[in-house]
Amino acid sequence: MTAAAPARPRPLRPDDADAVLALLTARDVAVLGRADTSAQDVRVDLADPDLDPRSCVVEGEGRLEGMARVWFDAATGHADVDVAVHPDAPQGLLAALLAHVDEVARDGGGARGCAEMVLDHHAYEADRPLQDALRAAGYEPATSFSRMRRELDRPVERVRPEGVVVRRAQDPPTDEELRLAHALHQASFADHFGFAPRSYEDWRAAWQARDDRGPVWFAQVDGRDAGFLQETEELVEELDAGYVLRLGVLRAARGRGVARALLTESFRGMQRRGRVAAVLHVDVANSTGALALYESVGMRPVLSVQAWRRVLAVPGRAPDRAPDRAPDRAPDLSEAGSRVQP
């Protein structure tokens, strides 16, 4: 990594969790006026099997000055990236870390036989320095996500559309149930922003690597599998809230109230476990009315996160080797985990 500021970069390690949390908390407070990252968020991200070993941190005097992380989707030309610096970090460190991300992505793309790498970075709408750095590094705005929240201080009315049946998976889910969730995820998110197909084995490994897994729900319409919902407990420590990580409905089953049925059952379950609120993210550019859907079950926007995208050429690769690019818009409902600031 070349930096325009004094820096001592080294590989990111699992035992950096406390220092990473301190760095991200300082960034959050500077941007939002409050902490917005939990120890749970950090643990989940560091344990993710897709985290590239060339992810790095830059050490200062008694603290981390900055960090660059890259998560490759297995065997595709897509990566989620995250760069963060301390509010008092040396000038130029953001640019240097973004350049390091480019280097890691080019190497990863070359190893995967890709002509291009598609990089997605999320940033708080209020984080103008990061957005300026992303623009200067060749990223462009792609879409925006709203964090939605519903208080669970009143009874949640169950929605039971005709022909729709919702059930909760076993705890833990069986292999058969995980295979069903994977199949529904791949089919219902096929043209979602940032989605990249992945095998069942890779998908299951990423899910099981999380130590904050929550309930999984399934819906059928007229006896046929139609949708799913996956929860996590990633917001319990900081907000005492349940989090909807993924919610998807097959195209043929849309318009039957499946998503509302899944959401209300999920909310009722969160309430029984003592959660004070339910939270999720939605792509505001979603053309299928997802924002209106969430508002119809009592959720309201509380924070905006912008997605930035860069398409990076991989030297020495022929154009006809380009990867399947992650699509530009979502068909239905929003997927966002801890990499989108929850």
Side-chain angles (χ1 to χ4, degrees), residues 300-335:
R300 296 293 179 265
V302 294
L303 187 69
S304 179
V305 178
Q306 293 187 330
W308 291 73
R309 171 164 288 183
R310 172 163 164 72
V311 179
L312 187 68
V314 177
R317 296 291 172 180
D320 62 358
R321 296 291 301 281
D324 293 332
R325 229 182 248 188
D328 291 334
R329 286 292 177 265
D332 187 25
L333 306 174
S334 177
E335 173 188 11

